[in-house]
mmCIF file with all atom_site columns, all heavy atoms in Angstrom:
data_model
loop_
_atom_site.group_PDB
_atom_site.id
_atom_site.type_symbol
_atom_site.label_atom_id
_atom_site.label_alt_id
_atom_site.label_comp_id
_atom_site.label_asym_id
_atom_site.label_entity_id
_atom_site.label_seq_id
_atom_site.pdbx_PDB_ins_code
_atom_site.Cartn_x
_atom_site.Cartn_y
_atom_site.Cartn_z
_atom_site.occupancy
_atom_site.B_iso_or_equiv
_atom_site.pdbx_formal_charge
_atom_site.auth_seq_id
_atom_site.auth_comp_id
_atom_site.auth_asym_id
_atom_site.auth_atom_id
_atom_site.pdbx_PDB_model_num
ATOM 1   N N   . ARG A 1 1  ? 16.560  3.817  -0.513 1.00 97.00 ? 1  ARG A N   1
ATOM 2   C CA  . ARG A 1 1  ? 15.895  2.563  -0.853 1.00 97.00 ? 1  ARG A CA  1
ATOM 3   C C   . ARG A 1 1  ? 14.899  2.158  0.229  1.00 97.00 ? 1  ARG A C   1
ATOM 4   O O   . ARG A 1 1  ? 13.789  1.717  -0.067 1.00 97.00 ? 1  ARG A O   1
ATOM 5   C CB  . ARG A 1 1  ? 16.925  1.444  -1.052 1.00 97.00 ? 1  ARG A CB  1
ATOM 6   C CG  . ARG A 1 1  ? 17.446  1.399  -2.476 1.00 97.00 ? 1  ARG A CG  1
ATOM 7   C CD  . ARG A 1 1  ? 18.305  0.164  -2.689 1.00 97.00 ? 1  ARG A CD  1
ATOM 8   N NE  . ARG A 1 1  ? 19.695  0.616  -2.692 1.00 97.00 ? 1  ARG A NE  1
ATOM 9   C CZ  . ARG A 1 1  ? 20.692  0.015  -2.083 1.00 97.00 ? 1  ARG A CZ  1
ATOM 10  N NH1 . ARG A 1 1  ? 20.496  -1.085 -1.398 1.00 97.00 ? 1  ARG A NH1 1
ATOM 11  N NH2 . ARG A 1 1  ? 21.912  0.496  -2.144 1.00 97.00 ? 1  ARG A NH2 1
ATOM 12  N N   . ARG A 1 2  ? 15.299  2.305  1.475  1.00 98.00 ? 2  ARG A N   1
ATOM 13  C CA  . ARG A 1 2  ? 14.401  1.943  2.576  1.00 98.00 ? 2  ARG A CA  1
ATOM 14  C C   . ARG A 1 2  ? 13.170  2.842  2.612  1.00 98.00 ? 2  ARG A C   1
ATOM 15  O O   . ARG A 1 2  ? 12.063  2.371  2.868  1.00 98.00 ? 2  ARG A O   1
ATOM 16  C CB  . ARG A 1 2  ? 15.147  2.038  3.911  1.00 98.00 ? 2  ARG A CB  1
ATOM 17  C CG  . ARG A 1 2  ? 16.154  0.948  4.096  1.00 98.00 ? 2  ARG A CG  1
ATOM 18  C CD  . ARG A 1 2  ? 16.885  1.107  5.396  1.00 98.00 ? 2  ARG A CD  1
ATOM 19  N NE  . ARG A 1 2  ? 17.940  0.116  5.510  1.00 98.00 ? 2  ARG A NE  1
ATOM 20  C CZ  . ARG A 1 2  ? 18.873  0.136  6.439  1.00 98.00 ? 2  ARG A CZ  1
ATOM 21  N NH1 . ARG A 1 2  ? 18.880  1.109  7.334  1.00 98.00 ? 2  ARG A NH1 1
ATOM 22  N NH2 . ARG A 1 2  ? 19.795  -0.796 6.486  1.00 98.00 ? 2  ARG A NH2 1
ATOM 23  N N   . LEU A 1 3  ? 13.364  4.131  2.351  1.00 98.00 ? 3  LEU A N   1
ATOM 24  C CA  . LEU A 1 3  ? 12.222  5.040  2.345  1.00 98.00 ? 3  LEU A CA  1
ATOM 25  C C   . LEU A 1 3  ? 11.252  4.698  1.221  1.00 98.00 ? 3  LEU A C   1
ATOM 26  O O   . LEU A 1 3  ? 10.032  4.720  1.413  1.00 98.00 ? 3  LEU A O   1
ATOM 27  C CB  . LEU A 1 3  ? 12.701  6.488  2.224  1.00 98.00 ? 3  LEU A CB  1
ATOM 28  C CG  . LEU A 1 3  ? 13.333  7.071  3.481  1.00 98.00 ? 3  LEU A CG  1
ATOM 29  C CD1 . LEU A 1 3  ? 13.917  8.442  3.183  1.00 98.00 ? 3  LEU A CD1 1
ATOM 30  C CD2 . LEU A 1 3  ? 12.315  7.167  4.598  1.00 98.00 ? 3  LEU A CD2 1
ATOM 31  N N   . TRP A 1 4  ? 11.772  4.395  0.031  1.00 97.00 ? 4  TRP A N   1
ATOM 32  C CA  . TRP A 1 4  ? 10.896  4.030  -1.075 1.00 97.00 ? 4  TRP A CA  1
ATOM 33  C C   . TRP A 1 4  ? 10.165  2.728  -0.771 1.00 97.00 ? 4  TRP A C   1
ATOM 34  O O   . TRP A 1 4  ? 8.984   2.567  -1.103 1.00 97.00 ? 4  TRP A O   1
ATOM 35  C CB  . TRP A 1 4  ? 11.667  3.908  -2.385 1.00 97.00 ? 4  TRP A CB  1
ATOM 36  C CG  . TRP A 1 4  ? 11.887  5.228  -3.039 1.00 97.00 ? 4  TRP A CG  1
ATOM 37  C CD1 . TRP A 1 4  ? 13.068  5.861  -3.235 1.00 97.00 ? 4  TRP A CD1 1
ATOM 38  C CD2 . TRP A 1 4  ? 10.877  6.099  -3.560 1.00 97.00 ? 4  TRP A CD2 1
ATOM 39  N NE1 . TRP A 1 4  ? 12.857  7.071  -3.847 1.00 97.00 ? 4  TRP A NE1 1
ATOM 40  C CE2 . TRP A 1 4  ? 11.526  7.240  -4.069 1.00 97.00 ? 4  TRP A CE2 1
ATOM 41  C CE3 . TRP A 1 4  ? 9.499   6.019  -3.647 1.00 97.00 ? 4  TRP A CE3 1
ATOM 42  C CZ2 . TRP A 1 4  ? 10.827  8.287  -4.648 1.00 97.00 ? 4  TRP A CZ2 1
ATOM 43  C CZ3 . TRP A 1 4  ? 8.803   7.069  -4.237 1.00 97.00 ? 4  TRP A CZ3 1
ATOM 44  C CH2 . TRP A 1 4  ? 9.466   8.184  -4.725 1.00 97.00 ? 4  TRP A CH2 1
ATOM 45  N N   . LEU A 1 5  ? 10.845  1.802  -0.119 1.00 97.00 ? 5  LEU A N   1
ATOM 46  C CA  . LEU A 1 5  ? 10.188  0.554  0.258  1.00 97.00 ? 5  LEU A CA  1
ATOM 47  C C   . LEU A 1 5  ? 9.054   0.826  1.234  1.00 97.00 ? 5  LEU A C   1
ATOM 48  O O   . LEU A 1 5  ? 7.965   0.251  1.117  1.00 97.00 ? 5  LEU A O   1
ATOM 49  C CB  . LEU A 1 5  ? 11.213  -0.398 0.880  1.00 97.00 ? 5  LEU A CB  1
ATOM 50  C CG  . LEU A 1 5  ? 10.720  -1.800 1.228  1.00 97.00 ? 5  LEU A CG  1
ATOM 51  C CD1 . LEU A 1 5  ? 10.260  -2.530 -0.019 1.00 97.00 ? 5  LEU A CD1 1
ATOM 52  C CD2 . LEU A 1 5  ? 11.814  -2.577 1.933  1.00 97.00 ? 5  LEU A CD2 1
ATOM 53  N N   . ALA A 1 6  ? 9.269   1.718  2.187  1.00 97.00 ? 6  ALA A N   1
ATOM 54  C CA  . ALA A 1 6  ? 8.214   2.087  3.139  1.00 97.00 ? 6  ALA A CA  1
ATOM 55  C C   . ALA A 1 6  ? 7.047   2.759  2.421  1.00 97.00 ? 6  ALA A C   1
ATOM 56  O O   . ALA A 1 6  ? 5.879   2.467  2.711  1.00 97.00 ? 6  ALA A O   1
ATOM 57  C CB  . ALA A 1 6  ? 8.775   3.005  4.217  1.00 97.00 ? 6  ALA A CB  1
ATOM 58  N N   . VAL A 1 7  ? 7.343   3.655  1.487  1.00 98.00 ? 7  VAL A N   1
ATOM 59  C CA  . VAL A 1 7  ? 6.277   4.338  0.738  1.00 98.00 ? 7  VAL A CA  1
ATOM 60  C C   . VAL A 1 7  ? 5.468   3.324  -0.055 1.00 98.00 ? 7  VAL A C   1
ATOM 61  O O   . VAL A 1 7  ? 4.221   3.351  -0.038 1.00 98.00 ? 7  VAL A O   1
ATOM 62  C CB  . VAL A 1 7  ? 6.878   5.423  -0.192 1.00 98.00 ? 7  VAL A CB  1
ATOM 63  C CG1 . VAL A 1 7  ? 5.844   5.906  -1.203 1.00 98.00 ? 7  VAL A CG1 1
ATOM 64  C CG2 . VAL A 1 7  ? 7.418   6.575  0.625  1.00 98.00 ? 7  VAL A CG2 1
ATOM 65  N N   . PHE A 1 8  ? 6.136   2.418  -0.761 1.00 98.00 ? 8  PHE A N   1
ATOM 66  C CA  . PHE A 1 8  ? 5.414   1.409  -1.533 1.00 98.00 ? 8  PHE A CA  1
ATOM 67  C C   . PHE A 1 8  ? 4.612   0.489  -0.620 1.00 98.00 ? 8  PHE A C   1
ATOM 68  O O   . PHE A 1 8  ? 3.521   0.042  -0.972 1.00 98.00 ? 8  PHE A O   1
ATOM 69  C CB  . PHE A 1 8  ? 6.363   0.591  -2.401 1.00 98.00 ? 8  PHE A CB  1
ATOM 70  C CG  . PHE A 1 8  ? 6.909   1.363  -3.571 1.00 98.00 ? 8  PHE A CG  1
ATOM 71  C CD1 . PHE A 1 8  ? 8.244   1.253  -3.930 1.00 98.00 ? 8  PHE A CD1 1
ATOM 72  C CD2 . PHE A 1 8  ? 6.093   2.182  -4.329 1.00 98.00 ? 8  PHE A CD2 1
ATOM 73  C CE1 . PHE A 1 8  ? 8.748   1.960  -4.999 1.00 98.00 ? 8  PHE A CE1 1
ATOM 74  C CE2 . PHE A 1 8  ? 6.584   2.894  -5.410 1.00 98.00 ? 8  PHE A CE2 1
ATOM 75  C CZ  . PHE A 1 8  ? 7.912   2.777  -5.749 1.00 98.00 ? 8  PHE A CZ  1
ATOM 76  N N   . GLY A 1 9  ? 5.129   0.204  0.562  1.00 97.00 ? 9  GLY A N   1
ATOM 77  C CA  . GLY A 1 9  ? 4.396   -0.612 1.516  1.00 97.00 ? 9  GLY A CA  1
ATOM 78  C C   . GLY A 1 9  ? 3.121   0.062  1.967  1.00 97.00 ? 9  GLY A C   1
ATOM 79  O O   . GLY A 1 9  ? 2.053   -0.566 2.018  1.00 97.00 ? 9  GLY A O   1
ATOM 80  N N   . VAL A 1 10 ? 3.203   1.337  2.294  1.00 97.00 ? 10 VAL A N   1
ATOM 81  C CA  . VAL A 1 10 ? 2.015   2.084  2.720  1.00 97.00 ? 10 VAL A CA  1
ATOM 82  C C   . VAL A 1 10 ? 1.001   2.165  1.585  1.00 97.00 ? 10 VAL A C   1
ATOM 83  O O   . VAL A 1 10 ? -0.207  1.961  1.787  1.00 97.00 ? 10 VAL A O   1
ATOM 84  C CB  . VAL A 1 10 ? 2.407   3.493  3.220  1.00 97.00 ? 10 VAL A CB  1
ATOM 85  C CG1 . VAL A 1 10 ? 1.181   4.371  3.407  1.00 97.00 ? 10 VAL A CG1 1
ATOM 86  C CG2 . VAL A 1 10 ? 3.200   3.395  4.515  1.00 97.00 ? 10 VAL A CG2 1
ATOM 87  N N   . VAL A 1 11 ? 1.461   2.450  0.384  1.00 97.00 ? 11 VAL A N   1
ATOM 88  C CA  . VAL A 1 11 ? 0.548   2.539  -0.765 1.00 97.00 ? 11 VAL A CA  1
ATOM 89  C C   . VAL A 1 11 ? -0.125  1.200  -1.018 1.00 97.00 ? 11 VAL A C   1
ATOM 90  O O   . VAL A 1 11 ? -1.336  1.134  -1.285 1.00 97.00 ? 11 VAL A O   1
ATOM 91  C CB  . VAL A 1 11 ? 1.315   3.026  -2.019 1.00 97.00 ? 11 VAL A CB  1
ATOM 92  C CG1 . VAL A 1 11 ? 0.473   2.853  -3.280 1.00 97.00 ? 11 VAL A CG1 1
ATOM 93  C CG2 . VAL A 1 11 ? 1.727   4.472  -1.847 1.00 97.00 ? 11 VAL A CG2 1
ATOM 94  N N   . SER A 1 12 ? 0.632   0.114  -0.913 1.00 98.00 ? 12 SER A N   1
ATOM 95  C CA  . SER A 1 12 ? 0.026   -1.202 -1.152 1.00 98.00 ? 12 SER A CA  1
ATOM 96  C C   . SER A 1 12 ? -1.009  -1.543 -0.089 1.00 98.00 ? 12 SER A C   1
ATOM 97  O O   . SER A 1 12 ? -2.043  -2.138 -0.398 1.00 98.00 ? 12 SER A O   1
ATOM 98  C CB  . SER A 1 12 ? 1.105   -2.280 -1.224 1.00 98.00 ? 12 SER A CB  1
ATOM 99  O OG  . SER A 1 12 ? 1.768   -2.401 0.023  1.00 98.00 ? 12 SER A OG  1
ATOM 100 N N   . VAL A 1 13 ? -0.766  -1.175 1.169  1.00 97.00 ? 13 VAL A N   1
ATOM 101 C CA  . VAL A 1 13 ? -1.756  -1.419 2.221  1.00 97.00 ? 13 VAL A CA  1
ATOM 102 C C   . VAL A 1 13 ? -3.011  -0.606 1.961  1.00 97.00 ? 13 VAL A C   1
ATOM 103 O O   . VAL A 1 13 ? -4.140  -1.123 2.081  1.00 97.00 ? 13 VAL A O   1
ATOM 104 C CB  . VAL A 1 13 ? -1.153  -1.099 3.614  1.00 97.00 ? 13 VAL A CB  1
ATOM 105 C CG1 . VAL A 1 13 ? -2.244  -1.050 4.678  1.00 97.00 ? 13 VAL A CG1 1
ATOM 106 C CG2 . VAL A 1 13 ? -0.091  -2.123 3.985  1.00 97.00 ? 13 VAL A CG2 1
ATOM 107 N N   . VAL A 1 14 ? -2.863  0.646  1.590  1.00 97.00 ? 14 VAL A N   1
ATOM 108 C CA  . VAL A 1 14 ? -4.026  1.493  1.308  1.00 97.00 ? 14 VAL A CA  1
ATOM 109 C C   . VAL A 1 14 ? -4.813  0.933  0.122  1.00 97.00 ? 14 VAL A C   1
ATOM 110 O O   . VAL A 1 14 ? -6.047  0.851  0.153  1.00 97.00 ? 14 VAL A O   1
ATOM 111 C CB  . VAL A 1 14 ? -3.587  2.955  1.060  1.00 97.00 ? 14 VAL A CB  1
ATOM 112 C CG1 . VAL A 1 14 ? -4.737  3.778  0.500  1.00 97.00 ? 14 VAL A CG1 1
ATOM 113 C CG2 . VAL A 1 14 ? -3.047  3.565  2.333  1.00 97.00 ? 14 VAL A CG2 1
ATOM 114 N N   . LEU A 1 15 ? -4.121  0.523  -0.931 1.00 97.00 ? 15 LEU A N   1
ATOM 115 C CA  . LEU A 1 15 ? -4.803  -0.061 -2.096 1.00 97.00 ? 15 LEU A CA  1
ATOM 116 C C   . LEU A 1 15 ? -5.499  -1.364 -1.727 1.00 97.00 ? 15 LEU A C   1
ATOM 117 O O   . LEU A 1 15 ? -6.621  -1.637 -2.175 1.00 97.00 ? 15 LEU A O   1
ATOM 118 C CB  . LEU A 1 15 ? -3.817  -0.291 -3.236 1.00 97.00 ? 15 LEU A CB  1
ATOM 119 C CG  . LEU A 1 15 ? -3.363  0.954  -3.987 1.00 97.00 ? 15 LEU A CG  1
ATOM 120 C CD1 . LEU A 1 15 ? -2.298  0.589  -5.022 1.00 97.00 ? 15 LEU A CD1 1
ATOM 121 C CD2 . LEU A 1 15 ? -4.530  1.636  -4.659 1.00 97.00 ? 15 LEU A CD2 1
ATOM 122 N N   . ALA A 1 16 ? -4.849  -2.189 -0.929 1.00 97.00 ? 16 ALA A N   1
ATOM 123 C CA  . ALA A 1 16 ? -5.459  -3.453 -0.523 1.00 97.00 ? 16 ALA A CA  1
ATOM 124 C C   . ALA A 1 16 ? -6.723  -3.209 0.289  1.00 97.00 ? 16 ALA A C   1
ATOM 125 O O   . ALA A 1 16 ? -7.739  -3.894 0.101  1.00 97.00 ? 16 ALA A O   1
ATOM 126 C CB  . ALA A 1 16 ? -4.464  -4.285 0.288  1.00 97.00 ? 16 ALA A CB  1
ATOM 127 N N   . GLN A 1 17 ? -6.699  -2.232 1.170  1.00 97.00 ? 17 GLN A N   1
ATOM 128 C CA  . GLN A 1 17 ? -7.898  -1.910 1.944  1.00 97.00 ? 17 GLN A CA  1
ATOM 129 C C   . GLN A 1 17 ? -9.007  -1.374 1.048  1.00 97.00 ? 17 GLN A C   1
ATOM 130 O O   . GLN A 1 17 ? -10.193 -1.701 1.224  1.00 97.00 ? 17 GLN A O   1
ATOM 131 C CB  . GLN A 1 17 ? -7.570  -0.910 3.051  1.00 97.00 ? 17 GLN A CB  1
ATOM 132 C CG  . GLN A 1 17 ? -6.785  -1.511 4.192  1.00 97.00 ? 17 GLN A CG  1
ATOM 133 C CD  . GLN A 1 17 ? -6.428  -0.487 5.261  1.00 97.00 ? 17 GLN A CD  1
ATOM 134 O OE1 . GLN A 1 17 ? -6.610  0.719  5.055  1.00 97.00 ? 17 GLN A OE1 1
ATOM 135 N NE2 . GLN A 1 17 ? -5.919  -0.971 6.379  1.00 97.00 ? 17 GLN A NE2 1
ATOM 136 N N   . GLY A 1 18 ? -8.642  -0.555 0.088  1.00 95.00 ? 18 GLY A N   1
ATOM 137 C CA  . GLY A 1 18 ? -9.633  -0.024 -0.854 1.00 95.00 ? 18 GLY A CA  1
ATOM 138 C C   . GLY A 1 18 ? -10.263 -1.126 -1.683 1.00 95.00 ? 18 GLY A C   1
ATOM 139 O O   . GLY A 1 18 ? -11.489 -1.158 -1.886 1.00 95.00 ? 18 GLY A O   1
ATOM 140 N N   . ILE A 1 19 ? -9.444  -2.039 -2.168 1.00 95.00 ? 19 ILE A N   1
ATOM 141 C CA  . ILE A 1 19 ? -9.966  -3.161 -2.958 1.00 95.00 ? 19 ILE A CA  1
ATOM 142 C C   . ILE A 1 19 ? -10.851 -4.040 -2.085 1.00 95.00 ? 19 ILE A C   1
ATOM 143 O O   . ILE A 1 19 ? -11.911 -4.519 -2.522 1.00 95.00 ? 19 ILE A O   1
ATOM 144 C CB  . ILE A 1 19 ? -8.803  -3.957 -3.581 1.00 95.00 ? 19 ILE A CB  1
ATOM 145 C CG1 . ILE A 1 19 ? -8.128  -3.112 -4.664 1.00 95.00 ? 19 ILE A CG1 1
ATOM 146 C CG2 . ILE A 1 19 ? -9.274  -5.288 -4.151 1.00 95.00 ? 19 ILE A CG2 1
ATOM 147 C CD1 . ILE A 1 19 ? -6.856  -3.705 -5.213 1.00 95.00 ? 19 ILE A CD1 1
ATOM 148 N N   . ASN A 1 20 ? -10.444 -4.242 -0.848 1.00 95.00 ? 20 ASN A N   1
ATOM 149 C CA  . ASN A 1 20 ? -11.243 -5.034 0.079  1.00 95.00 ? 20 ASN A CA  1
ATOM 150 C C   . ASN A 1 20 ? -12.621 -4.383 0.293  1.00 95.00 ? 20 ASN A C   1
ATOM 151 O O   . ASN A 1 20 ? -13.653 -5.076 0.315  1.00 95.00 ? 20 ASN A O   1
ATOM 152 C CB  . ASN A 1 20 ? -10.500 -5.202 1.408  1.00 95.00 ? 20 ASN A CB  1
ATOM 153 C CG  . ASN A 1 20 ? -11.149 -6.203 2.323  1.00 95.00 ? 20 ASN A CG  1
ATOM 154 O OD1 . ASN A 1 20 ? -11.939 -7.037 1.869  1.00 95.00 ? 20 ASN A OD1 1
ATOM 155 N ND2 . ASN A 1 20 ? -10.834 -6.127 3.588  1.00 95.00 ? 20 ASN A ND2 1
ATOM 156 N N   . GLU A 1 21 ? -12.650 -3.079 0.455  1.00 94.00 ? 21 GLU A N   1
ATOM 157 C CA  . GLU A 1 21 ? -13.916 -2.365 0.619  1.00 94.00 ? 21 GLU A CA  1
ATOM 158 C C   . GLU A 1 21 ? -14.784 -2.505 -0.623 1.00 94.00 ? 21 GLU A C   1
ATOM 159 O O   . GLU A 1 21 ? -15.996 -2.710 -0.524 1.00 94.00 ? 21 GLU A O   1
ATOM 160 C CB  . GLU A 1 21 ? -13.661 -0.879 0.914  1.00 94.00 ? 21 GLU A CB  1
ATOM 161 C CG  . GLU A 1 21 ? -13.132 -0.585 2.294  1.00 94.00 ? 21 GLU A CG  1
ATOM 162 C CD  . GLU A 1 21 ? -14.168 -0.902 3.385  1.00 94.00 ? 21 GLU A CD  1
ATOM 163 O OE1 . GLU A 1 21 ? -15.369 -0.649 3.186  1.00 94.00 ? 21 GLU A OE1 1
ATOM 164 O OE2 . GLU A 1 21 ? -13.737 -1.434 4.426  1.00 94.00 ? 21 GLU A OE2 1
ATOM 165 N N   . LEU A 1 22 ? -14.182 -2.397 -1.810 1.00 93.00 ? 22 LEU A N   1
ATOM 166 C CA  . LEU A 1 22 ? -14.943 -2.561 -3.056 1.00 93.00 ? 22 LEU A CA  1
ATOM 167 C C   . LEU A 1 22 ? -15.526 -3.959 -3.174 1.00 93.00 ? 22 LEU A C   1
ATOM 168 O O   . LEU A 1 22 ? -16.669 -4.138 -3.624 1.00 93.00 ? 22 LEU A O   1
ATOM 169 C CB  . LEU A 1 22 ? -14.062 -2.246 -4.253 1.00 93.00 ? 22 LEU A CB  1
ATOM 170 C CG  . LEU A 1 22 ? -13.707 -0.771 -4.483 1.00 93.00 ? 22 LEU A CG  1
ATOM 171 C CD1 . LEU A 1 22 ? -12.724 -0.647 -5.636 1.00 93.00 ? 22 LEU A CD1 1
ATOM 172 C CD2 . LEU A 1 22 ? -14.959 0.032  -4.754 1.00 93.00 ? 22 LEU A CD2 1
ATOM 173 N N   . ILE A 1 23 ? -14.748 -4.941 -2.783 1.00 93.00 ? 23 ILE A N   1
ATOM 174 C CA  . ILE A 1 23 ? -15.230 -6.322 -2.847 1.00 93.00 ? 23 ILE A CA  1
ATOM 175 C C   . ILE A 1 23 ? -16.396 -6.508 -1.873 1.00 93.00 ? 23 ILE A C   1
ATOM 176 O O   . ILE A 1 23 ? -17.410 -7.160 -2.211 1.00 93.00 ? 23 ILE A O   1
ATOM 177 C CB  . ILE A 1 23 ? -14.089 -7.302 -2.551 1.00 93.00 ? 23 ILE A CB  1
ATOM 178 C CG1 . ILE A 1 23 ? -13.106 -7.296 -3.709 1.00 93.00 ? 23 ILE A CG1 1
ATOM 179 C CG2 . ILE A 1 23 ? -14.618 -8.714 -2.321 1.00 93.00 ? 23 ILE A CG2 1
ATOM 180 C CD1 . ILE A 1 23 ? -11.843 -8.094 -3.458 1.00 93.00 ? 23 ILE A CD1 1
ATOM 181 N N   . GLN A 1 24 ? -16.281 -5.944 -0.682 1.00 92.00 ? 24 GLN A N   1
ATOM 182 C CA  . GLN A 1 24 ? -17.350 -6.086 0.300  1.00 92.00 ? 24 GLN A CA  1
ATOM 183 C C   . GLN A 1 24 ? -18.618 -5.365 -0.157 1.00 92.00 ? 24 GLN A C   1
ATOM 184 O O   . GLN A 1 24 ? -19.730 -5.838 0.037  1.00 92.00 ? 24 GLN A O   1
ATOM 185 C CB  . GLN A 1 24 ? -16.903 -5.546 1.663  1.00 92.00 ? 24 GLN A CB  1
ATOM 186 C CG  . GLN A 1 24 ? -15.939 -6.451 2.382  1.00 92.00 ? 24 GLN A CG  1
ATOM 187 C CD  . GLN A 1 24 ? -15.527 -5.889 3.730  1.00 92.00 ? 24 GLN A CD  1
ATOM 188 O OE1 . GLN A 1 24 ? -15.965 -4.810 4.125  1.00 92.00 ? 24 GLN A OE1 1
ATOM 189 N NE2 . GLN A 1 24 ? -14.661 -6.615 4.414  1.00 92.00 ? 24 GLN A NE2 1
#
């Protein structure tokens, strides 16, 4: 469970940065 939470956390950070770049 902890590993999946870490994976989802990393994916969400990467997606958030990508969306931020698209917005900019």
Side-chain angles (χ1 to χ4, degrees):
R1 273 188 256 137
R2 288 178 185 169
L3 286 173
W4 278 114
L5 185 62
V7 167
F8 288 138
V10 169
V11 168
S12 64
V13 168
V14 169
L15 286 175
Q17 287 178 350
I19 291 172
N20 190 19
E21 287 293 321
L22 288 175
I23 290 173
Q24 286 180 0

